[in-house]
Amino acid sequence: MTLGLKDLYYAVCTEADGAESYGIPKKMAEAMSADLSVKTADGSLYADDTLSESVTEFASGTLKLGIKDLTPEVLAELLGQAVDKNSVVWAGKEDEPPYVAVGFRAKKTGGKYRYVWLLKAKFKVPSEKYETKGESIKFNTPDIEASFTTRKKDNLWKADFVGTEESAAAKTWFTAVPEKAAAMESI
């Protein structure tokens, strides 16, 4: 159970020789909501009139973010758009959004947080809505969606950690996209 959402970051992913690496994480926007859905591929093998083997694997996922606002420069970087010397963002038909890692944290009870990084996501151009002011104030905030997949180098798609802000992993969570530790402790 989570009680909030904050600290939405992204880091541009580059690939060389089939191995992904990341730039320094940057603040994306003030987060309002994050809806994460995962698709799996399922297979069943029947033998001798019974289920003999069953396999379920991660296939892909979708992340829908509700955010307070995206600066034009951040949106341009997420969508592979050009920014000129006058800070004008130019969107074109041939823009190629880069893969990015997306990280955030959600408060839990007991002073803990759930920390998440989706390791390889690509954002889509968001819909925009503009509306004239009426008798009451209405905020129009953007939603942006990304598809995510596994990394080539290790087939991982997500890093997920629950702990306090003083935990070793939490202290560096937003300074670099985490990599899998060399030795795993037993659960």
Side-chain angles (χ1 to χ4, degrees):
M1 171 175 62
T2 58
L3 307 167
L5 176 66
K6 65 190 290 185
D7 298 327
L8 180 60
Y9 282 78
Y10 73 100
V12 175
C13 176
T14 55
E15 185 180 330
D17 300 322
E20 294 87 353
S21 60
Y22 302 96
I24 296 170
K26 301 175 187 176
K27 183 83 169 170
M28 184 186 299
E30 292 180 66
M32 295 170 47
S33 64
D35 183 8
L36 177 70
S37 60
V38 174
K39 293 179 186 169
T40 58
D42 304 308
S44 299
L45 175 68
Y46 289 85
D48 288 336
D49 293 336
T50 188
L51 180 63
S52 177
E53 301 286 334
S54 178
V55 176
T56 300
E57 293 181 350
F58 171 85
S60 64
T62 302
L63 175 66
K64 293 179 184 175
L65 294 172
I67 50 182
K68 182 178 173 187
D69 200 11
L70 273 174
T71 66
E73 294 80 12
V74 169
L75 187 59
E77 186 168 31
L78 292 175
L79 298 177
Q81 298 171 341
V83 181
D84 70 16
K85 68 178 184 175
N86 297 319
S87 297
V88 176
V89 176
W90 297 92
K93 177 180 175 181
E94 300 193 14
D95 295 339
E96 183 60 35
Y99 280 107
V100 297
V102 180
F104 54 87
R105 69 180 178 155
K107 189 170 182 72
K108 296 180 68 62
T109 58
K112 293 185 177 181
Y113 285 88
R114 173 170 232 140
Y115 295 84
V116 174
W117 274 104
L118 299 174
L119 301 173
K120 193 171 183 181
K122 188 175 277 200
F123 280 94
K124 301 173 186 175
V125 176
S127 297
E128 298 179 52
K129 182 177 180 180
Y130 302 94
E131 192 173 339
T132 190
K133 290 194 303 183
E135 291 182 14
S136 61
I137 295 172
K138 182 178 179 191
F139 293 102
N140 287 314
T141 58
D143 291 329
I144 189 165
E145 184 176 312
S147 298
F148 59 91
T149 188
T150 58
R151 297 190 299 198
K152 289 181 181 179
K153 69 179 179 181
D154 54 15
N155 290 321
L156 297 175
W157 62 274
K158 179 180 169 187
D160 195 332
F161 167 73
V162 174
T164 64
E165 292 178 296
E166 292 77 36
S167 303
K171 288 181 180 179
T172 60
W173 199 256
F174 298 114
T175 60
V177 177
E179 291 294 334
K180 190 173 178 181
M184 300 293 289
E185 293 183 26
S186 61
I187 297 176

